[in-house]
Amino acid sequence: MADSGNGKGETGKVIPAQYQPPLPLDKLLLPVGAPGAGDRMELDVVIVGAGPAGLACAIALAQLAQRSGGRTALNIGVLEKAGALGEHSLSGAVVNPRALRELFPELEDREFPFRAPVTKEAVHLLTAHRAPRIPIPPTMHNAGNYIASLCEIVRWLGEKAEALGVNLFTGFPAASLLMQGARVAGVRTAATGLDRDGQPLASHQAPNDIVAKVTVLAEGTRGMLAQAYLEWQQVGAENPQIFALGVKEIWETKQPLDSIVHTLGWPLPRDAFGGSFMYPLEPRLVALGLVVGLDYRDATLDVHALLQRMKLHPLFRRRLEGGEMVEWGAKTIPEGGYYSIPARRSGEGVAILGDSAGLVDVPSLKGIHYAIQSGMFAARAIFGALIAGDTSAARLAEYDRLVNESFIMKDLYRTRNMRLAFKDGFFVGGAKAALMSLTGGRFPGRRIGVEPDAKVERRFTPGLRPGSVVPPDGKLTFSKVDGVFKSGNATRDTIPAHLVVGKDVTPEAAAFYAHLCPAGVYEVVDGMLRANAPNCVDCKATDVVGPRWTPREGGSGPKYKRM
Amino acid sequence: MKIAVCIKRVPDSETRVKIAADGKSLDEAGVKFILNPYDEFAVEEALRLKEKAGTGEVVVIALGPPAAQETIRTALAMGADRGVLLQIQGLHPDGLETAKALAAELRDAACDLILFGKMAIDDYNHQVGPMVAELLDLPCVTTVAHLEIAGGKGTAEREIEGGVEVVEFPLPAVLTTDKGLNEPRYPALKGIMAAKKKPLDVKPTAPGPGALEILSLTPPPERQAGKIVGEGSAAVSELVRLLREEAKVL
């Protein structure tokens, strides 16, 4: 398999939106009671996604129920598509501890599942051979924050939730929202044990319907059910949501590292927005990643390949050489910020949390504490609604109000235009962002508009190949197939295809997908698009600009351990 | 029909295990643990026998650390009725000490069948099932790939070299299960909910020191890189030569 295509016949331009199929709403939205389900279960609250947002919501709900002195016993269930807790969770991560402190006021910071406090930090502006340090941008200071693995945070939160009596259902993806009028009445899980043609195998289990008074969508980045709900109810935002793709590796190194490191510049082309991070989980266990906004212009840009090339730079090479890459993963990040947050994140019987609601602040590279906090706010609103016996949109709007009045919206408002300024390239964006910092977000005094990533025109520029990389050596640099192996992905290769590809995909669009997908799902073979669906690590990158991702058999996808 | 299934918590077969600093045990940091896959066949078979009989009880018993409660919950979520954890602190004892602890628990349990996986995928010992049978003075059939129970006796098929051996045995008996016996079920949502409410009895257990001592663990040697001999028909004679002279397999 070619990592980046061979470049032959890759000319011209692509507007990805022209080849993107619509959201499969007929599958994602079902009337409650629709045929096809096996078991039916009733809960007070069903939460989709056992990430920081969903688990914080479950924990906060269970705490509220407990503090009511047993007067309000709640049946809370959390559905998670990964086979075990944390296996689909990936972040940098440097975490602001404030939300966890509020969730567990009785615990000290040292009892949280963090690896180490940030003691030193550096930002470098890379060129092909040099790495001058630059002053740390005001938004990127991390004093008081902690280096952590999101997988570990999630496993820890899961234990806390279980101890409080929350039901965790790992290996059960929610595949559809159950509708009752304009109300969300629960979810239907994905079937398991189907063959390629959708025929049941011996291990087949029919989907389950989970009916609940409130359904919480905490699916993470680019949540399918959240997308379906917002489209169904036509909930808009001032700007469309835009995304970035991050590819990350974990290295056991020979050289110790005592500082968190961020880089800007090389190897990204100047019309792409992004940067790298290198965080020591332990002095000799280093998380390393590259994040690139999906509004890049060059159709052949390949984030995985760029990360491989980046490691050849002396700044990284001298730290990594002789070490071993032990884990690999990829994930998208909602980057639109303040103006891309849906006008409402609650409705009849439903609330949308964390990354699914776009609660990420790109200038500070933070989202985990917003996710946790949004879960706690949702829990408060839902608990009040359950006590009152009224889970209507009006009642659950309390969740929106809590978020709007909190530090979450204050933070996001202050940096509202910073990421958006970079649509004009690195230098113009950098200058504007600096002015925004100086003015506390008031410059330029208006919203910068953006188009959805799928509508950004991509060009094939002969000669310019930002995605190209020296052939992987298997020591410092790796192919996409190597990466997928290190993600722990052991998806049964006979499950039905879960990626919905558009009609009449041109060779150019196919080549664009092949470069974009970090897991080598898409290849161009004789000018035709071929999808190796079992490779998929659920990063959702092509869902943003091309083929749609849909939930598949529980336990499929990566098995991240320390991402 | 009362069936006991003895299960073990083992590292996931996909886990990259590391040897701990003492050189004699595994470093458990970051390791995911699962229900031993061969024990899943035993649990599944017990559930099927009970379902077929329409009545009875399936008890799962594990000897292990406190975290083995999760492993027992997995079996309860599949459908077992109750669990017993013989809880130890520290490392697993050797096979005989494990068997003695299990036998003590099972001696007065009046089970019709006691099932084990044929081996645990961590230590590959194949010992504990037959040892328990011996300690309880019960008949034992190992590596069962097909099973029929009727009229107070059983018929088991074992896959042996080049054929199938059919064994008839009286109840109660101890059986160890092999791959192919059945297709273990995934726990259903309702099963997971129900498992939380099923009884799980934790009994602190202090096995004896045992007669076996692990001196050291070492990882297997790193695989050598392959060799590409050449292409096309010209490579055949060289390949044959290498297979004969270097690999010595011809």
Side-chain angles (χ1 to χ4, degrees), chain A residues 296-310:
Chain A
Y296 61 79
R297 311 297 169 85
D298 192 300
T300 64
L301 190 146
D302 180 326
V303 184
H304 170 82
L306 283 176
L307 173 64
Q308 302 313 309
R309 188 202 264 191
M310 190 183 85

Side-chain angles (χ1 to χ4, degrees), chain A residues 210-223:
Chain A
I210 299 166
V211 176
K213 296 182 184 113
V214 181
T215 301
V216 177
L217 302 178
E219 302 160 280
T221 180
R222 196 72 177 170

Side-chain angles (χ1 to χ4, degrees), chain B residues 8-38:
Chain B
K8 186 177 182 186
R9 170 183 182 262
V10 296
D12 190 347
S13 50
E14 287 162 26
T15 297
R16 210 177 66 125
V17 293
K18 275 192 169 174
I19 294 165
D22 69 1
K24 301 176 184 182
S25 59
L26 296 182
D27 180 355
E28 296 197 355
V31 173
K32 182 176 154 196
F33 286 86
I34 56 168
L35 169 57
N36 178 38
Y38 288 101

Side-chain angles (χ1 to χ4, degrees), chain A residues 40 87 166-167 169 172 205 208 210 252 324 326 559, chain B residues 14 16 18 32 183 186-190 192-193 196:
Chain A
R40 181 177 186 279
E87 288 186 345
V166 172
N167 299 293
F169 301 114
F172 289 91
Q205 277 195 348
N208 296 291
I210 299 166
E252 291 175 358
E324 188 186 352
V326 292
K559 293 189 194 307
Chain B
E14 287 162 26
R16 210 177 66 125
K18 275 192 169 174
K32 182 176 154 196
E183 177 93 19
Y186 290 105
L189 274 181
K190 281 196 167 162
I192 296 170
M193 286 278 274
K196 307 189 99 177

Side-chain angles (χ1 to χ4, degrees), chain B residues 1-3 43-58 75-81 182-183 185-186 198:
Chain B
M1 179 167 234
K2 184 173 179 185
I3 307 170
V43 174
E44 177 64 34
E45 197 63 16
L47 296 174
R48 289 185 189 191
L49 288 170
K50 181 192 150 184
E51 283 159 7
K52 204 172 152 198
T55 171
E57 186 186 36
V58 176
L76 296 180
M78 289 172 73
D81 298 293
N182 53 45
E183 177 93 19
R185 67 194 70 186
Y186 290 105
K198 289 179 179 173

Side-chain angles (χ1 to χ4, degrees), chain B:
Chain B
M1 179 167 234
K2 184 173 179 185
I3 307 170
V5 187
C6 297
I7 64 172
K8 186 177 182 186
R9 170 183 182 262
V10 296
D12 190 347
S13 50
E14 287 162 26
T15 297
R16 210 177 66 125
V17 293
K18 275 192 169 174
I19 294 165
D22 69 1
K24 301 176 184 182
S25 59
L26 296 182
D27 180 355
E28 296 197 355
V31 173
K32 182 176 154 196
F33 286 86
I34 56 168
L35 169 57
N36 178 38
Y38 288 101
D39 299 346
E40 284 186 9
F41 302 121
V43 174
E44 177 64 34
E45 197 63 16
L47 296 174
R48 289 185 189 191
L49 288 170
K50 181 192 150 184
E51 283 159 7
K52 204 172 152 198
T55 171
E57 186 186 36
V58 176
V59 188
V60 288
I61 304 172
L63 181 134
Q69 286 190 45
E70 283 169 46
T71 317
I72 293 176
R73 291 275 175 219
T74 304
L76 296 180
M78 289 172 73
D81 298 293
R82 63 185 178 90
V84 178
L85 173 61
L86 305 178
Q87 186 175 300
I88 54 167
Q89 302 298 334
L91 300 177
H92 273 268
D94 69 25
L96 184 57
E97 292 302 324
T98 304
K100 283 179 186 167
L102 290 169
E105 177 65 25
L106 290 163
R107 193 173 306 276
D108 301 317
C111 297
D112 300 296
L113 271 178
I114 300 171
L115 302 183
F116 288 80
K118 73 167 180 181
M119 65 171 192
I121 61 161
D122 54 355
D123 59 22
Y124 272 49
N125 269 339
H126 298 75
Q127 290 179 351
V128 178
M131 284 175 168
V132 167
E134 193 62 29
L135 291 167
L136 296 179
D137 202 18
L138 293 176
C140 179
V141 187
T142 57
T143 61
V144 173
H146 184 79
L147 180 65
E148 298 286 344
I149 302 283
K153 60 179 189 180
T155 311
E157 290 181 10
R158 312 173 66 234
E159 281 173 22
I160 58 170
E161 188 65 39
V164 173
E165 184 181 54
V166 182
V167 183
E168 212 178 74
F169 58 90
L171 299 184
V174 175
L175 310 178
T176 74
T177 57
D178 201 356
K179 197 174 176 170
L181 177 60
N182 53 45
E183 177 93 19
R185 67 194 70 186
Y186 290 105
L189 274 181
K190 281 196 167 162
I192 296 170
M193 286 278 274
K196 307 189 99 177
K197 301 198 176 81
K198 289 179 179 173
L200 199 172
D201 200 2
V202 177
K203 300 182 177 177
T205 304
L212 293 179
E213 186 191 352
I214 294 175
L215 296 179
S216 71
L217 290 180
T218 48
E222 286 215 21
R223 267 177 60 177
Q224 301 296 310
K227 187 190 280 186
I228 293 173
V229 175
E231 274 182 35
S233 55
V236 173
S237 59
E238 176 64 2
L239 179 63
V240 170
R241 187 189 70 79
L242 287 171
L243 288 173
R244 199 186 302 270
E245 292 174 13
E246 273 192 25
K248 297 193 168 74
V249 293
L250 290 183

